[in-house]
Amino acid sequence: MFGRRFELFTLFGFKVRIDTSWIFLAILVTWTIGTGLFPAWYPDLSPVTHWIMGAAGAIGLFASIVLHELAHSIIARQHGVMMRGITLFIFGGVAEMTDEPPSPKAEFQVAIAGPVASLLVALTCLTLGAAGTIVRWPDAIGGVVKYLAVINGILVVFNLVPAFPLDGGRVLRSILWNWKNNLSWATYVTSRIGVGFSFLLIGLGVLNAVTGNLVGGIWYFLIGMFLRGAANMSYQQLLVRRSLEGETVRRFMHVNPITVTPDIPISTLVEEYVYKYHFKMFPVVDGERLIGCVRTREIKDLSRETWMQKTVRDLTIECSDENSIHPDTDAIAALSKMNQSGTSRLMVVENGRLVGVITLKDLLRFLSLRVELEQP
Ligand SMILES: [Zn+2]
């Protein structure tokens, strides 16, 4: 979903990053409010002031989105959901969760936290604005605060539309999930509403564009397209999760995997194993004992001249939580482990002994067959 991202700072233990596309949003917001909204609200102020107010508004919008996502993240962490951090991008922000919330109650609380935070920010800005009018602070400050009250109000209303994966869609999903005790069905219903809502936005975008509001129209159109993709993707991710649920690693692992001994030179490893079997990882076994694994990733960093002198033992990485898994673990856990560590093969280890190897390819093949045979 993201292009290049930059890490900005860490807030309450969450890394806050911006995607380069956010810069486009910042410029667009500054321009729109600096040349449109603020001149209309305060025609007496100078264009330079309008531009400064526009930039302040964009920074305020940034802070508002971070607060919104921070609220989601804090509540998610309280429910034990692992978080990757907060990313701001062209369509706002996301609190990236590595997993779904564990229960309908958790989902409800995580989802509602964002809009509640935005509502509090909106109310704070309204109060500040009212107080500012009484003490007669400069219009430039009052204008930015008023804009932030409005934009946070819009954030609340837009996010509460019951269209998955918007917050409102998650709230509705948690209610449906609780009602029928069926997460797949709840996701199916709310993601269909999500797709419906996205078409409404796309339609609105076209209508706006043809009636003269080109920038606004394109904006609606793009947000609609984005939501449509996100709604479909969320449902597919759930299908994957559901298809693998209850299946253990043991079911997919290859017993009697190809292993290597620690004393062969790297050149032999490359010629007789890597180029023959095309695997990126081989377990290293000495007799009955599993020592670890050797990967192409490490061979790559070695200069070719040393391939004859160095042996597999020199490159062997010890077994760890990153490269091995127990045969009775859920297959979905194997998939997320591969996803997180960027590997496609894991050693299956039981009581310190190698019992097999599980590969991404096999998991994906199973998934595509199951989806083909069992989806209506
Ligand atoms: Zn939200």
Side-chain angles (χ1 to χ4, degrees):
M1 178 158 80
F2 301 115
R4 250 183 102 82
R5 291 193 289 185
F6 300 93
E7 206 176 300
L8 294 182
F9 47 82
T10 304
L11 206 57
F12 294 93
F14 302 107
K15 290 202 166 86
V16 178
R17 309 181 185 94
I18 57 166
D19 184 81
T20 36
S21 65
W22 202 86
I23 295 161
F24 180 73
L25 178 70
I27 293 169
L28 188 77
V29 167
T30 308
W31 176 68
T32 316
I33 60 179
T35 63
L37 186 75
F38 288 140
W41 281 1
Y42 304 100
D44 296 341
L45 296 175
S46 72
V48 175
T49 313
H50 289 146
W51 274 104
I52 294 170
M53 289 167 75
I59 294 168
L61 174 66
F62 170 85
S64 303
I65 296 173
V66 169
L67 280 174
H68 177 107
E69 301 306 334
L70 186 67
H72 285 308
S73 304
I74 288 174
I75 304 296
R77 187 165 62 186
Q78 277 176 4
H79 285 285
V81 180
M82 287 272 290
M83 304 296 300
R84 282 207 199 100
I86 295 167
T87 298
L88 273 77
F89 69 122
I90 192 163
F91 299 123
V94 275
E96 293 172 273
M97 293 185 263
T98 56
D99 216 341
E100 300 278 349
S103 65
K105 191 179 152 212
E107 159 113 291
F108 180 84
Q109 292 178 356
V110 172
I112 204 76
V116 167
S118 297
L119 184 65
L120 289 177
V121 175
L123 292 176
T124 307
C125 290
L126 274 182
T127 317
L128 266 178
T133 318
I134 296 168
V135 301
R136 295 175 167 275
W137 65 6
D139 278 350
I141 299 175
V144 174
V145 171
K146 191 162 120 190
Y147 165 73
L148 289 177
V150 172
I151 204 77
N152 275 283
I154 292 173
L155 277 178
V156 174
V157 174
F158 181 76
N159 276 296
L160 282 181
V161 173
F164 195 83
L166 294 179
D167 297 337
R170 288 185 174 275
V171 167
L172 179 63
R173 181 172 83 154
S174 73
I175 294 167
L176 297 178
W177 180 8
N178 190 44
W179 177 36
K180 293 240 172 136
N181 198 20
N182 185 338
L183 177 60
S184 302
W185 172 75
T187 310
Y188 177 74
V189 172
T190 49
S191 64
R192 288 309 93 185
I193 299 175
V195 172
F197 179 61
S198 69
F199 278 120
L200 189 77
L201 285 177
I202 293 169
L204 212 64
V206 173
L207 198 72
N208 262 286
V210 295
T211 53
N213 178 11
L214 192 63
V215 175
I218 291 173
W219 204 238
Y220 279 125
F221 184 83
L222 290 177
I223 292 179
M225 291 296 284
F226 168 72
L227 269 184
R228 184 170 151 262
N232 283 327
M233 198 175 75
S234 318
Y235 185 59
Q236 277 156 10
Q237 275 171 355
L238 187 92
L239 284 182
V240 167
R241 192 164 285 278
R242 282 288 130 129
S243 302
L244 283 180
E245 205 158 62
E247 307 287 356
T248 60
V249 165
R250 196 182 292 280
R251 191 188 153 159
F252 300 99
M253 70 187 190
H254 291 264
V255 287
N256 303 322
I258 310 287
T259 59
V260 295
T261 53
D263 297 320
I264 59 169
I266 299 299
S267 52
T268 313
L269 171 72
V270 171
E271 284 303 328
E272 290 178 24
Y273 290 88
V274 177
Y275 289 163
K276 184 169 170 197
Y277 300 105
H278 316 136
F279 301 155
K280 287 185 171 164
M281 184 279 286
F282 292 91
V284 183
V285 176
D286 194 5
E288 278 284 284
R289 204 165 63 91
L290 175 66
I291 302 178
C293 65
V294 62
R295 308 181 302 186
T296 49
R297 221 185 266 182
E298 274 76 34
I299 304 175
K300 213 169 60 185
D301 298 335
L302 210 62
S303 69
R304 259 213 89 138
E305 299 80 67
T306 53
W307 281 12
M308 292 291 276
Q309 290 108 45
K310 297 249 184 205
T311 62
V312 165
R313 193 186 299 277
D314 300 318
L315 290 190
T316 298
I317 298 167
E318 279 180 29
C319 292
S320 70
D321 206 38
E322 247 193 20
N323 57 31
S324 50
I325 196 161
H326 191 274
D328 293 329
T329 318
D330 255 4
I332 193 80
L335 201 60
S336 56
K337 197 175 271 207
M338 289 174 187
N339 187 19
Q340 273 166 24
S341 59
T343 49
S344 54
R345 308 176 80 79
L346 297 171
M347 295 185 282
V348 185
V349 181
E350 194 173 22
N351 302 326
R353 283 189 47 232
L354 179 76
V355 291
V357 160
I358 183 167
T359 72
L360 181 62
K361 216 188 220 167
D362 291 324
L363 285 174
L364 293 182
R365 204 173 285 156
F366 170 81
L367 277 174
S368 80
L369 282 172
R370 182 160 253 189
V371 169
E372 192 181 315
L373 293 177
E374 295 183 25
Q375 284 313 308

